């Protein structure tokens, strides 16, 4: 069984003080318990500050986006090299909020995925269908297209540094819809099959597929213990250290008494 990963996406939330408190609480809660991989993705302005707090801990630093160029006249953008420079290990790309609110295309997301991987960052590529697409049975074709176009041209040696987050757009945030563990598992199977067709069976079996969409402490265990669910990408609940740590604990089958499992 692959080790579960729990990743906090703070989106455009927190002040510097809140970021400091949240990061310290997560580091303390995780302690030296390495049974679940934990990463935090604060907003750009707090990456360096949170990176210092995470330094030397088991909690990795991640970013929420990047621009697919090394440097240049790209006002307001942040390069993969800059993210590495402040200590990021991982970057979230293709989030539905960037696809739908900011109009990012699969082709642009693909440029970002390739730039991140070739710079040495790990990538969490988010994919997921809208409610309308699900209602007309287009879930599989949407996921396929986002994978095929988002991962075009990837070198096989980069695949171990890639994870996919299945995030049904209709289940993100406080909109009232929740995917059932069965729906999550079914979509993860579609994703793994589709990935297998693109890159072969062995990489598909090694691929980490995370689930994202209103995961809360109460729902986490049922999702995380489904076959093929390798972890969770957490939005809202990652802004509360107790809730986030409880979700991480839910990824462990045999809790012990210290660290994440306390
Ligand atoms: C997300 O946006 O990646 C996410 C999973 O958000 P939430 O947990 O708030 O639904």
């Amino acid at each position: 069984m692959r080790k579960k990963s729990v990743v906090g996406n703070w989106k455009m939330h927190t002040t510097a003080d809140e970021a400091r408190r949240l990061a310290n609480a997560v580091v303390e809660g995780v302690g030296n318990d390495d049974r679940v991989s934990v990463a935090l993705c604060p907003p750009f302005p707090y990456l360096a500050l949170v990176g210092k707090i995470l330094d030397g801990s088991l909690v990795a630093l991640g970013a929420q986006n990047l621009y697919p160029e090394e440097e240049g006249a790209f006002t307001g953008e942040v390069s993969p090299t800059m993210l590495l420079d402040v200590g990021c290990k991982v970057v979230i790309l293709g989030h539905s909020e960037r696809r739908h609110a900011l109009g990012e295309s699969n082709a642009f997301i693909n440029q970002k995925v390739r730039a991140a991987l070739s710079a040495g960052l790990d990538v969490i590529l988010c994919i997921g269908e809208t409610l309308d697409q699900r209602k007309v049975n287009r879930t599989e074709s949407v996921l396929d297209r986002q994978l095929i176009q988002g991962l075009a041209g990837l070198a096989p040696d980069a695949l171990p540094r890639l994870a996919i987050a299945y995030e049904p757009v209709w289940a993100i945030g406080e909109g009232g819809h929740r995917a059932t563990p069965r729906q999550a598992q079914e979509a993860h199977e579609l994703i793994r099959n589709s990935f297998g067709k693109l890159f072969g069976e062995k990489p598909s079996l090694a691929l980490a597929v995370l689930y994202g969409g209103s995961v809360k402490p109460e729902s986490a265990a049922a999702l995380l213990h489904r076959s093929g669910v390798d972890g969770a990408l957490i939005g809202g609940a990652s802004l509360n250290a107790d809730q986030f740590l409880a979700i991480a604990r839910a990824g462990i089958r045999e809790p012990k008494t210290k660290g994440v499992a306390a």
Side-chain angles (χ1 to χ4, degrees):
M1 196 175 68
R2 283 175 293 273
K3 187 163 156 177
K4 308 283 181 194
S5 296
V6 174
V7 179
N9 173 13
W10 293 358
K11 307 192 184 186
M12 199 172 72
H13 293 292
T14 69
T15 60
D17 263 0
E18 287 163 357
R20 197 176 288 116
R21 260 184 270 129
L22 196 45
N24 273 313
V26 172
V27 166
E28 194 179 317
V30 169
N32 61 5
D33 192 331
D34 64 357
R35 289 174 295 170
V36 172
S37 302
V38 177
L40 297 179
C41 303
F44 284 147
Y46 308 134
L47 279 174
L49 148 73
V50 171
K52 279 203 186 105
I53 295 167
L54 305 190
D55 195 28
S57 80
L58 290 176
V59 183
L61 182 69
Q64 301 173 22
N65 186 32
L66 55 68
Y67 191 76
E69 292 290 342
E70 245 180 63
E71 62 175 350
F74 301 103
T75 303
E77 297 296 339
V78 175
S79 73
T81 322
M82 291 169 179
L83 295 184
L84 287 166
D85 206 24
V86 291
C88 288
K89 301 276 179 284
V90 61
V91 60
I92 298 169
L93 296 173
H95 192 280
S96 65
E97 286 149 14
R98 300 204 63 85
R99 292 176 186 269
H100 297 284
L102 296 159
E104 288 193 3
S105 66
N106 283 314
F108 187 42
I109 292 163
N110 176 247
Q111 287 178 32
K112 295 184 179 199
V113 170
R114 290 161 65 166
L117 289 170
S118 61
L121 287 161
D122 292 355
V123 167
I124 299 170
L125 172 66
C126 303
I127 62 174
E129 80 288 358
T130 64
L131 191 55
D132 285 349
Q133 290 165 334
R134 175 165 277 263
K135 279 183 182 157
V136 295
N137 293 322
R138 285 185 53 214
T139 299
E140 184 167 3
S141 64
V142 169
L143 296 178
D144 262 0
R145 193 177 60 244
Q146 291 178 344
L147 275 183
I148 292 167
Q149 296 181 4
L151 301 179
L154 246 62
D157 64 353
L159 298 180
R161 288 187 293 110
L162 173 76
I164 303 295
Y166 170 59
E167 298 212 303
V169 180
W170 46 275
I172 292 178
E174 302 301 325
H177 293 284
R178 296 274 168 93
T180 63
R182 178 189 284 273
Q183 283 173 317
Q185 181 177 351
E186 283 167 1
H188 284 217
E189 278 164 14
L190 294 175
I191 290 167
R192 207 176 295 284
N193 282 341
S194 175
F195 193 85
K197 284 186 202 138
L198 291 173
F199 297 108
E201 194 189 354
K202 206 168 161 205
S204 84
L205 295 175
L207 178 73
V209 185
L210 315 186
Y211 174 76
S214 304
V215 179
K216 303 286 181 236
E218 318 79 75
S219 58
L223 285 159
L224 288 168
H225 295 164
R226 277 275 162 168
S227 136
V229 178
D230 302 307
L233 181 54
I234 315 296
S238 72
L239 297 170
N240 176 309
D242 289 342
Q243 289 193 17
F244 183 67
L245 289 164
I247 293 169
R249 277 200 292 279
I252 302 169
R253 277 189 185 274
E254 290 162 21
K256 57 178 184 184
T257 51
K258 283 213 149 147
V260 167

